[in-house]
Amino acid sequence: YSPDNHSNETNLSVSTYAGSKYRLYVGVALAIGSSIFVGSSFILKKKGLLQLADKGVTRAGQGGYSYLKEWLWWAGLLSMGIGEAANFAAYAFAPATLVTPLGALSVLISAILSSYFLNEKLNVHGKLGCILSILGSTVMVIHAPEEEEVTSLDEMEIKLKDPVFIAFAVVITVVSLVLIFVVAPRKGQTNILVYISICSVIGAFSVSSVKGLGIAIKEILEQKPVYQHPLVYILVGTLVLSVSTQINYLNKALDMFNTSLVTPIYYVCFTTTVVTCSIILFKEWNSMDLGDIIGSLSGFLTIIIGIFLLHAFKSTNITLKQLTSAAIKEPSLPLHGYDAHHTLLENMESPTLAYEEDNPLFSRGNAQGAIFH
């Protein structure tokens, strides 16, 4: 055993580690870029639709198609296309347990941009939610797992034939069929979790298919005979079927229930299912120590809390100015004991307080008179 051999092995391991980190950073950059484009696309589309509404043309919700002549709407569609393409590519470079949670940033981008360009106010809860989502995403990137390298469709096929993944796929399929044909007809319109659970469970198949097709595209660029591999057609068929089912039941959930509830619940359920599937299929957490596992889970939970704050309290009219003014007023009130302890909370819940803070001349007595009038 010569020193030269040892030096060559060391250089090889260093270059392999550097290549792995490079792939991870490319995947993270693509995922963040995807979120920026997808989040911006909602604002561009909404802006285009609002301009059409001001012109008095038939709106999209009333069956109109005038938005097809609006360049802002087309810019939004192009932005969404670029974002989805970048997201698709991200799965080929980074673990799904990292790419999927980073999709929450598109919600954050959309919320921030809407407060600037659509004059939609972002309350205290929304701002806290944005900060928490950014912090959670940063923690997840720092503690990102290194997946087992899958560089070819043959290796992907071996992964898919793993007994543990087959058992997981059978359980997912049975649960999906029971939810679709038994539970949904009975409780789908009254329980928000039914339609969302269908979308989330089937999401395991769609993300796995995207990951496999990303490998196929890389092999096409390397001029390999991918078209002769039957797995490609199985992955395409699975992707089309799973995505169409997800879109169908997600639309039903949005139609029946409040969007501010559907969005955070769907994000949590979908991401949890995808992360579980990735752990089983790609063994992404096998190389992680306990600290990285706890860090990844903490980052994910922080994102969940951020998304919840951003959406669940969207209609709550509490501003930082209102909180500080209520706190300043406290010492002058002759309150004692229990009343003094809970006054701030009562003031926050008062429906007239927000109006009074913005309109100092509007007295409480006039407000009550206007309500009863």
Side-chain angles (χ1 to χ4, degrees):
Y1 186 81
S2 66
D4 291 338
N5 290 337
H6 178 71
S7 177
N8 290 337
E9 288 181 4
T10 303
N11 291 336
L12 182 62
S13 62
V14 169
S15 62
T16 303
Y17 175 78
S20 176
K21 284 295 180 184
Y22 172 77
R23 287 170 56 82
L24 178 66
Y25 293 145
V26 170
V28 169
L30 286 169
I32 294 174
S34 168
S35 296
I36 293 172
F37 279 106
V38 171
S40 302
S41 72
F42 292 117
I43 307 304
L44 290 169
K45 285 184 176 181
K46 183 74 173 181
K47 194 75 174 175
L49 293 172
L50 288 174
Q51 285 187 5
L52 289 173
D54 292 338
K55 295 177 182 177
V57 299
T58 305
R59 303 181 67 168
Q62 300 169 344
Y65 294 96
S66 300
Y67 58 86
L68 294 175
K69 299 178 182 179
E70 177 59 50
W71 71 270
L72 269 176
W73 186 89
W74 282 104
L77 186 65
L78 178 62
S79 178
M80 177 165 284
I82 295 172
E84 293 300 336
N87 188 60
F88 189 94
Y91 282 105
F93 289 93
T97 50
L98 176 62
V99 175
T100 304
L102 285 177
L105 293 178
S106 64
V107 181
L108 181 150
I109 299 281
S110 179
I112 293 175
L113 292 179
S114 64
S115 66
Y116 283 98
F117 297 104
L118 299 178
N119 297 322
E120 295 181 3
K121 290 186 178 180
L122 198 62
N123 59 18
V124 172
H125 297 92
K127 292 173 182 177
L128 286 174
C130 290
I131 294 171
L132 287 174
S133 296
I134 293 173
L135 292 176
S137 300
T138 304
V139 171
M140 286 207 72
V141 170
I142 293 172
H143 296 281
E146 292 184 11
E147 61 186 352
E148 290 186 359
E149 192 71 19
V150 181
T151 57
S152 67
L153 287 175
D154 292 328
E155 292 179 10
M156 183 71 180
E157 187 176 352
I158 294 172
K159 293 282 187 186
L160 292 172
K161 288 181 179 178
D162 182 71
V164 178
F165 178 74
I166 291 174
F168 173 77
V170 170
V171 171
I172 290 291
T173 304
V174 171
V175 170
S176 301
L177 292 175
V178 170
L179 286 171
I180 291 171
F181 294 106
V182 179
V183 181
R186 297 178 182 177
K187 299 183 179 180
Q189 297 185 356
T190 56
N191 191 326
I192 190 173
L193 291 175
V194 176
Y195 291 147
I196 292 177
S197 297
I198 294 171
C199 299
S200 304
V201 168
I202 293 177
F205 292 127
S206 61
V207 171
S208 301
S209 300
V210 166
K211 189 78 174 178
L213 289 173
I215 295 169
I217 290 172
K218 285 202 300 183
E219 290 196 349
I220 290 173
L221 296 176
E222 294 170 1
Q223 297 182 346
K224 294 182 180 179
V226 173
Y227 304 106
Q228 299 175 6
H229 207 299
L231 182 60
V232 174
Y233 304 100
I234 295 173
L235 291 173
V236 170
T238 304
L239 182 62
V240 171
L241 182 62
S242 58
V243 168
S244 59
T245 306
Q246 282 179 270
I247 292 173
N248 179 35
Y249 284 97
L250 183 59
N251 284 336
K252 288 185 178 182
L254 291 170
D255 186 46
M256 296 301 303
F257 305 101
N258 194 320
T259 307
S260 62
L261 290 176
V262 172
T263 303
I265 294 174
Y266 174 63
Y267 171 78
V268 172
C269 295
F270 175 77
T271 307
T272 303
T273 306
V274 169
V275 168
T276 304
C277 178
S278 297
I279 291 171
I280 294 172
L281 182 59
F282 298 106
K283 312 292 190 296
E284 292 178 350
W285 286 19
N286 283 5
S287 60
M288 295 177 69
D289 56 29
L290 183 61
D292 285 332
I293 292 174
I294 294 173
S296 293
L297 291 174
S298 300
F300 179 46
L301 290 173
T302 305
I303 294 174
I304 290 173
I305 295 170
I307 295 296
F308 178 78
L309 286 173
L310 190 60
H311 281 273
F313 298 98
K314 186 181 291 185
S315 59
T316 306
N317 190 19
I318 299 178
T319 63
L320 188 61
K321 178 183 176 182
Q322 179 182 334
L323 288 174
T324 52
S325 62
I328 292 170
K329 291 177 183 177
E330 286 305 304
S332 62
L333 296 176
L335 297 174
H336 304 282
Y338 180 86
D339 291 337
H341 183 68
H342 290 278
T343 301
L344 178 59
L345 181 61
E346 291 171 0
N347 286 340
M348 287 163 55
E349 294 174 347
S350 173
T352 59
L353 182 58
Y355 195 91
E356 288 180 343
E357 294 298 331
D358 293 333
N359 301 274
L361 298 178
F362 193 88
S363 67
R364 186 179 297 274
N366 289 338
Q368 292 174 344
I371 292 171
F372 289 112
H373 179 72

